[in-house]
Amino acid sequence: MLTFVIPCLFGLEGLVGEEVRRLGLGDVAVDNGQVSCRGTEADIPRLNISLRCGERVLLLMGEFPARSFEALFQGVRAIPWEDYVPRDGQFPVKGYALDSQLHSVPDCQRIVNKAAAERLGRAYGLERLPETGAKYQIQFAIRKDQCAVYLDTSGAGLHKRGYRAVGVAAPLRETLAAAMVTLSRFRGKDPFRDPFCGSGTIPIEAALIAKNRAPGLDRSFSAQKWGFIPSACWVNAAGEAMDREYDGSYDIWGGDIDPKAVAIARENAVKAGVEDLVRFEEADAARLRCEGEFGQIVTNPPYGERLLEKEEAENLYRMFGRVYRQVPPRWRTLVITSHPEFEKLFGRRADKKRKLYNGMMKCDLYQFSR
């Protein structure tokens, strides 16, 4: 059995853990900023293709104390790299060190690379490895003198679904957008609204969730070129994911006052294959219409740090608060922002509040239920 570690944005660990459990992997453990689990080679494609909220899938290669460069070297050299990295494989190294005696990341990178190269060179009888083949990205994490070494199976982060080739300022990560939709409990049955849709990330993720379409079906992953994972595993994982999809018509709407943003959102919906499931319109959030007994509003309004001046953003929050008071009583509303006075400006305390991160930006997710 193999051990996988799935890094995620802080605050999303529980959601990622539930995703992994639904895929049937074992020994799921949730920690700060990551989820670990156990599985087989066939689970590498399944995790990469199906995870909505995880950032990447790392294969754990080894763990050991590393209080010195010699200990780091010996620990890395003891890993059976030849079972995974072929004769011509590329094995670049990146990583980080926190609260440890080894604090120079460039020096640690050189040591890890040297140790892996020595092990592979002896295994293949080569003094110099060609590194002309597929990429096997090595990652290391040294925390409190304990080192973990991984192979990155994903390549580009899982938030890069492939549909957002062009964006607007202050984009929301796809993984965070998917988490917000999940937390709103939207499953496609009720109307869904995003009055500040920007490049359309939240409505597009809502459409993918409504259709139950795996977010990784239209992109590639580093491990697809790895010899120890049979190509049939990728075909089977994609087939399994597509078998879970279902057809339907949904009331998913995104609006933005910026016509350029709306045009980009429509293009992104086409790239994501959900243009028939979501509507984007140029619209003022002050005229938001919410019809029906139940529904969800999930949105990422401008923070006032990059898109608008702070005063303009605050006026926007006050306006949205007035709009919210006209929303039908059983609609659920989720708003993410980094502004510390949002509740005061909005005019109502949130029923639930969750700390999240949009990249490195600390935010709060406010949930309102009338």
Side-chain angles (χ1 to χ4, degrees), residues 6-319:
I6 303 158
C8 59
L9 296 173
F10 285 101
L12 303 188
E13 300 91 346
L15 294 180
V16 175
E18 285 302 311
E19 287 190 276
V20 174
R21 291 186 186 96
R22 284 197 296 272
L23 288 172
L25 279 82
D27 298 329
V28 179
V30 175
D31 202 352
N32 289 333
Q34 67 178 41
V35 172
S36 62
C37 58
R38 299 270 289 168
T40 68
E41 288 90 345
D43 291 311
I44 293 175
R46 297 179 70 239
L47 288 166
N48 275 294
I49 289 172
S50 296
L51 288 177
R52 296 188 190 279
C53 302
E55 289 299 313
R56 60 183 63 249
V57 179
L58 304 177
L59 172 59
L60 180 65
M61 302 298 292
E63 291 181 289
F64 49 85
R67 298 182 181 87
S68 66
F69 288 130
E70 179 62 21
L72 178 62
F73 181 87
Q74 295 298 338
V76 174
R77 190 173 64 172
I79 295 170
W81 294 105
E82 65 275 12
D83 292 346
Y84 300 89
V85 182
R87 182 187 185 95
D88 64 345
Q90 302 178 53
F91 50 98
V93 177
K94 61 182 178 182
Y96 65 89
L98 294 173
D99 302 323
S100 300
Q101 294 185 51
L102 299 180
H103 53 80
S104 172
V105 172
D107 288 337
C108 291
Q109 285 177 299
R110 284 190 288 271
I111 293 294
V112 171
N113 184 267
K114 182 179 178 182
E118 183 171 309
R119 173 84 187 216
L120 288 168
R122 287 188 178 184
Y124 294 122
L126 296 172
E127 290 186 6
R128 185 178 181 85
L129 293 160
E131 295 196 62
T132 55
K135 183 178 178 180
Y136 294 73
Q137 179 70 60
I138 297 175
Q139 290 199 19
F140 66 87
I142 305 175
R143 304 184 192 92
K144 296 183 178 179
D145 298 323
Q146 190 73 14
C147 181
V149 182
Y150 312 95
L151 281 178
D152 178 5
T153 74
S154 301
L158 297 183
H159 68 278
K160 296 184 178 180
R161 316 288 206 217
Y163 64 73
R164 196 169 66 182
V166 179
V168 295
L172 190 73
R173 281 201 179 193
E174 292 87 332
T175 44
L176 181 53
M180 292 171 62
V181 175
T182 301
L183 290 169
S184 79
R185 301 182 209 167
F186 176 71
R187 299 296 182 271
K189 296 181 180 179
D190 305 318
F192 185 96
R193 302 285 183 265
D194 178 4
F196 304 100
C197 73
S199 58
T201 305
I202 292 175
I204 289 172
E205 291 296 324
L208 293 173
I209 287 172
K211 188 178 176 63
N212 202 31
R213 180 172 179 79
L217 281 172
D218 295 326
R219 55 157 289 178
S220 60
F221 306 94
S222 287
Q224 284 178 273
K225 298 180 180 180
W226 294 1
F228 71 90
I229 305 175
S231 58
C233 290
W234 293 96
V235 174
N236 292 339
E240 174 192 331
M242 288 187 284
D243 286 343
R244 293 195 299 265
E245 292 184 18
Y246 36 79
D247 295 325
S249 58
Y250 311 103
D251 184 4
I252 303 172
W253 177 88
D256 201 284
I257 201 167
D258 181 358
K260 292 182 180 179
V262 172
I264 291 170
R266 288 171 177 160
E267 292 174 6
N268 289 343
V270 171
K271 294 186 182 83
V274 296
E275 70 275 13
D276 58 332
L277 305 179
V278 58
R279 295 175 291 117
F280 289 108
E281 295 178 350
E282 182 182 345
D284 189 338
R287 298 182 177 87
L288 177 65
R289 296 179 63 185
C290 298
E291 299 172 346
E293 185 178 4
F294 300 97
Q296 282 87 8
I297 300 171
V298 181
T299 194
N300 173 38
Y303 296 166
E305 297 175 15
R306 291 175 291 174
L307 294 181
L308 297 174
E309 294 297 329
K310 186 176 180 180
E311 185 176 345
E312 290 179 290
E314 291 177 350
N315 289 333
L316 191 68
Y317 299 155
R318 292 187 186 96
M319 175 275 292

Side-chain angles (χ1 to χ4, degrees), residues 300-306 310 317 335-342 356-358 360-366:
N300 173 38
Y303 296 166
E305 297 175 15
R306 291 175 291 174
K310 186 176 180 180
Y317 299 155
V335 182
I336 190 170
T337 177
S338 64
H339 199 297
E341 299 295 324
F342 175 76
L356 296 174
Y357 282 81
N358 183 15
M360 297 303 293
M361 183 182 294
K362 183 179 178 182
C363 299
D364 286 297
L365 180 65
Y366 301 91

